[in-house]
């Protein structure tokens, strides 16, 4: 198997892993089966806050209780303060504000809202790259096209994961500063950053595959050129020998 094709298949394998981990991240809180039951971005003690659960867990579509049970309705781009009521008491001052119906501060509203959207944009480009990944096995042009699409997916995924990390690390710190227990979700962060790492490797491999296809093409061209040159030399040598032998035979007949 040609090097370019083999590298393209390996890149598609990493792209598949990246997509799988990203889906685990996005579907957290939708079902109570593992590993989605353990997948959340942040768990914090919200007892005593007006309208909040005793323990709140932030997932992609919902805010849930312990082990992603007792979840609220799934909403696109839900505000960080959806865990409590409007103008709730006892919320860390840094987190509450006039956004999201009087539940979320300006900073956290935009941090998570943009992060939420960039996850979806990354998913779109990654899915396009996966569906067209067979093109990367056909040649240099196909590998270059998929490398470009996967690069776009990597770019948006990088922004999404960075914004998610900033949002929930700062939120955890705000809860801790307010004297409440809070910790980051190992599965939520692990799946997100694992997806990013696999996507990074896949994108690099698609770029390498493009060069591999180019090298394969040069090798085949050189092989054909060498073969044709050898054939011409052999033909020339045979023709010359035949003319020399014919000349000697005519000369002997007239001698």
């Amino acid at each position: 198997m040609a090097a370019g094709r083999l590298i393209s298949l390996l890149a598609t394998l990493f792209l598949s892993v990246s997509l799988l981990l990203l889906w685990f991240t996005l579907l957290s809180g939708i079902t109570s089966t593992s590993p989605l039951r353990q997948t959340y971005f942040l768990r914090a003690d919200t007892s005593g806050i007006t309208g909040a659960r005793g323990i709140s867990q932030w997932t992609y579509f919902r805010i849930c209780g312990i082990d992603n049970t007792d979840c609220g309705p799934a909403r696109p781009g839900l505000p960080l303060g959806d865990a409590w009521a409007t103008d709730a008491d006892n919320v860390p001052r840094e987190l509450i504000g006039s956004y999201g119906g009087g539940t979320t501060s300006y900073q956290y509203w935009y941090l998570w809202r943009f992060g939420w959207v960039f996850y979806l944009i990354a998913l779109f480009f990654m899915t396009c790259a996966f569906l067209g990944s067979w093109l990367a096995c056909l040649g240099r042009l196909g590998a270059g096209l998929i490398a470009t699409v996967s690069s776009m997916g990597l770019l948006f995924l990088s922004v999404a994961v960075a914004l998610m990390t900033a949002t929930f690390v700062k939120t955890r710190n705000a809860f801790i500063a307010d004297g409440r227990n809070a910790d980051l979700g190992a599965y939520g962060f692990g799946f997100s950053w694992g997806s990013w790492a696999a996507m990074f490797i896949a994108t690099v491999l698609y770029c390498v595959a493009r060069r591999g296809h180019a090298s394969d093409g040069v090798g085949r061209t050189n092989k054909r050129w060498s073969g044709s040159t050898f054939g011409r030399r052999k033909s020339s040598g045979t023709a010359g020998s035949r003319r020399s032998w014919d000349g000697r035979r005519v000369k002997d007949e007239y001698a």
Side-chain angles (χ1 to χ4, degrees):
M1 182 180 291
R5 189 172 301 171
L6 183 61
I7 295 171
S8 296
L9 291 175
L10 185 60
T12 302
L13 175 62
F14 277 99
L15 175 58
S16 303
V17 172
S18 179
L19 268 173
L20 178 63
L21 295 177
L22 183 58
W23 276 112
F24 281 161
T25 302
L26 302 187
L27 295 178
S28 57
I30 299 299
T31 177
S32 58
T33 58
S34 294
L36 302 181
R37 180 170 58 86
Q38 296 94 351
T39 305
Y40 55 87
F41 296 119
L42 175 71
R43 174 191 288 173
D45 173 16
T46 51
S47 59
I49 296 177
T50 308
R53 302 166 183 80
I55 297 291
S56 295
Q57 295 184 171
W58 280 261
T59 69
Y60 188 74
F61 280 109
R62 293 175 166 179
I63 296 177
C64 303
I66 193 75
D67 291 332
N68 286 349
T69 58
D70 186 27
C71 296
R75 294 202 301 165
L78 78 169
L80 191 73
D82 202 52
W84 45 77
T86 300
D87 299 324
D89 296 324
N90 302 320
V91 181
R93 182 176 301 178
E94 182 181 339
L95 303 180
I96 196 166
S98 58
Y99 289 78
T103 62
T104 310
S105 67
Y106 170 88
Q107 179 183 14
Y108 288 89
W109 167 264
Y110 283 108
L111 268 178
W112 180 226
R113 204 164 187 83
F114 277 104
W116 195 95
V117 170
F118 275 107
Y119 267 109
L120 291 186
I121 299 175
L123 177 64
F124 170 76
F125 281 104
M126 291 166 66
T127 302
C128 289
F130 178 75
L131 293 178
S133 58
W134 58 275
L135 293 172
C137 298
L138 300 183
R140 183 181 180 183
L141 181 61
L145 176 63
I146 300 305
T148 301
V149 177
S150 63
S151 296
M152 294 299 295
L154 177 63
L155 172 64
F156 286 109
L157 185 61
S158 299
V159 177
V161 174
L163 288 175
M164 180 276 294
T165 301
T167 300
F168 291 106
V169 168
K170 286 172 65 67
T171 305
R172 179 203 60 181
N173 294 342
F175 276 112
I176 292 175
D178 197 51
R180 296 174 179 272
N181 293 325
D183 50 52
L184 302 175
Y187 282 78
F189 273 74
F191 287 150
S192 288
W193 281 104
S195 178
W196 181 89
M199 191 62 191
F200 177 80
I201 295 173
T203 302
V204 171
L205 288 176
Y206 279 127
C207 294
V208 173
R210 182 177 180 274
R211 294 177 63 87
H213 282 302
S215 300
D216 293 340
V218 171
R220 287 194 295 269
T221 301
N222 290 340
K223 187 175 181 180
R224 288 196 297 269
W225 185 84
S226 299
S228 60
T229 302
F230 176 76
R232 286 196 298 271
R233 288 177 177 175
K234 185 176 181 180
S235 299
S236 299
T238 303
S241 299
R242 187 180 296 112
R243 285 195 298 269
S244 178
W245 186 83
D246 288 344
R248 287 196 303 270
R249 186 178 65 178
V250 170
K251 187 175 181 181
D252 289 344
E253 288 177 354
Y254 283 95

